[in-house]
Amino acid sequence: MPDTLKGKTIAILATDGFEQSELIKPKQALEDAGARAQVVSPSDKKIKGWDKKDWGKEVPVDVPLNSADASQYDALLLPGGVMNPDHLRMNPDAVRFAKQFFDQGKPVAAICHGPWMLVETGAARGRTLTSWPSLQTDIRNAGGTWVDKEVIVSNGVVTSRNPDDIPAFNREMIALFEKGAVQSATSERKVA
């Protein structure tokens, strides 16, 4: 999929404790597809990943959250990990930033615990989503439908369950980001 996202800029909202593979591998896939992928974070210099059972690599922050503008991005990626999305959903600025993507009709991709932000912004309502299994009650209570599938595309949002799903997640994320949410907002697909 070389250059299918050429000219697009993607925000990756993350903080310390992101699941390392769920940020690094999708970011690389976006860049391989020609996108400019920028890490946006409440931290202003770098954030540290979580690699399965221990701290992992540090990733530089491209844009501090307090100076990020959702209107400057074409799409949003929400990596998982437990700590990362839990801290972000408690940060009013992070919630406001993520909500702006939904308000502006832009596509969003969330993996593992990343869909917690969809719950927090109210964007889970009316969508079919997948996630790490422990989020299913939160998603249902927020008006969404939870299913246990590798990847789901629903109304401008793509979701997956865990690092094992990254190849399917990346494929569907790139396809969604290429189309943009305006065309895909009325479509819903359950993929494998």
Side-chain angles (χ1 to χ4, degrees):
M1 291 181 267
D3 293 335
T4 57
L5 298 179
K6 188 173 178 136
K8 294 192 184 267
T9 305
I10 313 302
I12 303 172
L13 182 59
T15 193
D16 289 318
F18 64 88
E19 181 63 43
Q20 184 170 296
S21 63
E22 294 173 357
L23 187 152
I24 291 175
K25 289 179 180 179
K27 181 178 189 287
Q28 186 63 55
L30 290 167
E31 291 170 345
D32 289 348
R36 181 173 167 217
Q38 293 187 325
V39 174
V40 175
S41 179
S43 302
D44 61 355
K45 301 244 188 257
K46 57 188 171 184
I47 53 177
K48 194 165 195 166
W50 186 258
D51 190 13
K52 297 178 186 124
K53 297 182 182 203
D54 204 352
W55 289 104
K57 296 179 182 177
E58 290 183 335
V59 172
V61 172
D62 298 302
V63 180
L65 178 61
N66 63 8
S67 63
D69 179 357
S71 69
Q72 301 301 305
Y73 295 96
D74 297 290
L76 174 64
L77 168 61
L78 298 167
V82 178
M83 291 176 269
N84 165 59
D86 195 43
H87 288 295
L88 289 173
R89 70 184 179 142
M90 298 303 295
N91 180 320
D93 292 331
V95 174
R96 192 169 21 260
F97 180 73
K99 188 173 183 320
Q100 289 173 350
F101 284 84
F102 295 104
D103 293 345
Q104 295 171 17
K106 294 179 179 179
V108 174
I111 187 168
C112 193
H113 288 77
W116 258 338
M117 187 59 82
L118 279 69
V119 169
E120 203 63 38
T121 62
R125 179 166 305 285
R127 287 187 165 92
T128 300
L129 306 170
T130 193
S131 67
W132 188 257
S134 64
L135 274 66
Q136 62 183 296
T137 301
D138 294 338
I139 289 169
R140 288 182 181 128
N141 287 342
T145 301
W146 186 87
V147 294
D148 184 11
K149 298 280 184 187
E150 180 179 53
V151 63
I152 298 290
V153 180
S154 178
N155 300 328
V157 175
V158 61
T159 53
S160 283
R161 302 169 299 189
N162 58 56
D164 293 339
D165 297 338
I166 289 174
F169 178 72
N170 286 348
R171 180 188 70 239
E172 296 298 325
M173 172 184 63
I174 289 168
L176 178 68
F177 289 3
E178 181 182 7
K179 286 189 290 190
V182 174
Q183 291 179 334
S184 58
T186 58
S187 67
E188 183 170 306
R189 290 195 340 257
K190 293 177 179 78
V191 184

